[in-house]
Amino acid sequence: MSDILQRFWILPVIMLTSLAACTNLPTSSSHLPATGWSPSLLVTSQVEELMLYYDFLRKQPAPELIKEYDKARQALTQSKTDVNRVRVALLLSMPNTPFHDTAAALGLLNEVSKETKAPSPSLRGLANMMAMMIAEQQRANNNADDLSQKLKDEQKRADALQGQVDGIKNMEKNLIRRDRRGITTKP
């Protein structure tokens, strides 16, 4: 009898496994429609969805990025979830966009890290990694700005010194011309 019960127990497990496998099949051939971002049905985690979203974003022209940023901001306003925070931070950290703001992106990512309701470890890890990379990018940009300012200051100093050198050369030329003309100065 136990042999018969084992056979009946295996049949429902096989059926449930088959049904679960069927639910992950996509309904369309593309998970990135031309009208905007739509997560794939094959996405298994929030981090994977965000990585696909970033891949989608980096291929978009500027006008589409602006529309996507507006949609992401509205979604964040309506629902302050960690995924929405990271999504907006991704957009804010994209270079060469009119809404580029690394400080705001860092603020959102720090909110994910400080969230009292623990986000998934992988989402928290992604947010921490992004925050670290953006902070490092900010430090590098600040260093580049400082070096650029120092270069401008040194250029001004070099120009001033060159002006002094040119002034001394002109005085020497004038003295030499005066000596050649036979003009002498009386004490």
Side-chain angles (χ1 to χ4, degrees), residues 84-102:
N84 284 341
R85 286 182 180 105
V86 174
R87 187 174 286 130
V88 172
L90 273 171
L91 283 153
L92 288 170
S93 66
M94 295 196 73
N96 305 321
T97 58
F99 47 82
H100 179 80
D101 186 349
T102 55

Side-chain angles (χ1 to χ4, degrees), residues 53-88:
Y53 183 62
Y54 174 76
D55 193 45
F56 164 77
L57 291 176
R58 64 184 190 85
K59 296 174 185 173
Q60 298 304 307
E64 290 302 316
L65 285 173
I66 293 170
K67 290 177 188 175
E68 200 60 42
Y69 174 65
D70 289 338
K71 283 194 272 184
R73 259 193 15 229
Q74 288 174 357
L76 179 62
T77 301
Q78 292 171 356
S79 176
K80 296 200 180 290
T81 65
D82 292 329
V83 172
N84 284 341
R85 286 182 180 105
V86 174
R87 187 174 286 130
V88 172

Side-chain angles (χ1 to χ4, degrees), residues 11-51:
L11 183 61
V13 170
I14 292 173
M15 289 174 47
L16 285 174
T17 305
S18 298
L19 285 174
C22 291
T23 61
N24 285 336
L25 294 176
T27 56
S28 68
S29 62
S30 172
H31 64 279
L32 300 176
T35 59
W37 168 252
S38 174
S40 169
L41 294 175
L42 294 175
V43 172
T44 59
S45 72
Q46 295 169 329
V47 173
E48 186 177 0
E49 177 188 342
L50 288 166
M51 296 308 291

